[in-house]
Amino acid sequence: IDTFKYRDLLFEFGDDSYICVLPSVDLNKTLSISERLYQDLKQVIASFNLSNQLVIGISTRTMRLVQGIRLVKESIEAVSKALEEPELPIVAFRVNAERYKQFLTEELKKTNVSNY
């Protein structure tokens, strides 16, 4: 709560996870916030003499028109990657603008919009 300020943007996810929505924040700022949060949480875990693995997965909507479920799936994939590689506890899904533009173009062609 100290990090995110708004309880209504913080959601429990599964037995041991949380999802947080950060409106109007780009990936670089999100990474900065996540790094501070990671260090703070790591200290809390250590203070209780626990050895839980802590990872953070990040996805953003930046430059894309995608549904929330897509962001959740991307974040889950980022968490999976972080769990596989302990030296990378924070993993972010970064959008390739050119590939996304190409994807949109291909999707538009599939809908045969030119017939209208």
Side-chain angles (χ1 to χ4, degrees), residues 91-109:
V91 174
F93 180 88
R94 187 178 297 270
V95 176
N96 179 318
E98 284 303 312
R99 283 182 56 193
Y100 184 67
K101 184 177 173 183
Q102 182 181 1
F103 166 77
L104 288 179
T105 301
E106 290 169 6
E107 289 298 307
L108 190 60
K109 287 179 185 176

Side-chain angles (χ1 to χ4, degrees), residues 58-72:
I58 300 169
S59 180
T60 66
R61 191 172 176 190
T62 304
M63 302 181 337
R64 304 184 295 166
L65 299 172
V66 295
Q67 295 181 343
I69 191 66
R70 172 79 182 257
L71 297 173
V72 170

Side-chain angles (χ1 to χ4, degrees), residues 4 21 27 38 42 51-52 60 76-77 87 89 105 107-108:
F4 299 115
V21 177
L27 183 58
Y38 178 82
K42 200 170 173 183
S51 60
N52 299 57
T60 66
I76 291 170
E77 288 179 33
E87 67 278 0
T105 301
E107 289 298 307
L108 190 60

Side-chain angles (χ1 to χ4, degrees), residues 28-42:
N28 292 333
K29 179 69 174 173
T30 303
L31 283 167
S32 175
I33 292 168
S34 296
E35 288 169 7
R36 283 193 310 274
L37 177 63
Y38 178 82
Q39 294 303 323
D40 291 345
L41 290 174
K42 200 170 173 183

Side-chain angles (χ1 to χ4, degrees), residues 6-61:
Y6 304 106
R7 287 183 186 266
D8 59 340
L9 296 177
L10 188 60
F11 306 92
E12 289 184 33
F13 186 75
D15 294 332
D16 60 356
S17 301
Y18 289 87
I19 291 178
C20 182
V21 177
L22 296 174
S24 304
V25 178
D26 68 10
L27 183 58
N28 292 333
K29 179 69 174 173
T30 303
L31 283 167
S32 175
I33 292 168
S34 296
E35 288 169 7
R36 283 193 310 274
L37 177 63
Y38 178 82
Q39 294 303 323
D40 291 345
L41 290 174
K42 200 170 173 183
Q43 287 179 354
V44 170
I45 290 170
S47 72
F48 286 98
N49 294 319
L50 299 172
S51 60
N52 299 57
Q53 185 177 11
L54 173 64
V55 297
I56 298 175
I58 300 169
S59 180
T60 66
R61 191 172 176 190

